[in-house]
Amino acid sequence: MADKPVRADKATAVAELTEHFRSSGATVLTEYRGLTVAQLTQLRRSLGRDTTYAVTKNTLAKRAATDAGIEGLDELFTGPTALTFVGGDVVEAAKGLRDFAKANPKLVIKGGVFEGKAITAAEVTKLADLESREVLLAKLAGAMKGNLSKAAALFQAPLSKTARLAAALQEKREKEGAEQA
């Protein structure tokens, strides 16, 4: 009888983890061995509101990843594992994890999932090295504005040439009219 509530709790936990795997833009697996509760709290705060950092049992996390249709993570579920479910900007969360790991070497990034595919720890670091979404959008807007300015100047050039030509012809006629008179 005592097994039934435990199994129900495990099934609920697997269902929650499966939903997190499916709804997150990315998931990063870390090993947190040796970190204090205060350090883990600091890490959770640094990741922001849209990111969830959860310590889970490997067997439950493995089953949830399988249920979510994610493959290639089984070898990462060794030792104490915590899952970082990223709901917001993946690059910002990866930067937060990377920076925290630099300050606290006991946090080890094992790998993760990005867009439904397993990625290595090196690929998580590459994500962290990208510029944020806002910076990339600003660069795109700047490039587009520059091209629009060039296009406007290009379209305006024939009009200004025509205006200068008309002014030159008018000057010439006035000069010829003054010479004949």
Side-chain angles (χ1 to χ4, degrees), residues 138-154:
K139 285 185 175 183
L140 177 65
M144 290 173 65
K145 182 181 175 190
N147 286 338
L148 288 174
S149 297
K150 288 178 187 176
L154 183 66

Side-chain angles (χ1 to χ4, degrees), residues 9 14 19 36 39 66 79 84 104 114 123 132 146 156 165 174:
D9 288 347
V14 169
E19 182 56 34
T36 65
Q39 289 171 322
T66 303
T84 309
N104 301 285
F114 182 64
E123 290 170 321
S132 70
Q156 190 178 7
L165 178 64
E174 286 175 1

Side-chain angles (χ1 to χ4, degrees), residues 1-9:
M1 284 288 264
D3 285 345
K4 289 196 178 205
V6 173
R7 288 186 181 167
D9 288 347

Side-chain angles (χ1 to χ4, degrees), residues 6-21:
V6 173
R7 288 186 181 167
D9 288 347
K10 287 182 180 180
T12 303
V14 169
E16 286 178 20
L17 289 172
T18 302
E19 182 56 34
H20 277 299
F21 272 115

Side-chain angles (χ1 to χ4, degrees), residues 31-63:
E31 182 175 322
Y32 61 93
R33 187 185 328 231
L35 293 175
T36 65
V37 173
Q39 289 171 322
L40 289 175
T41 303
Q42 179 187 3
L43 173 60
R44 284 185 174 104
R45 285 186 186 142
S46 71
L47 293 174
R49 279 185 261 141
D50 296 331
T51 302
T52 305
Y53 189 79
V55 174
T56 62
K57 289 188 173 189
N58 288 334
T59 54
L60 300 179
K62 231 187 256 191
R63 181 168 288 148

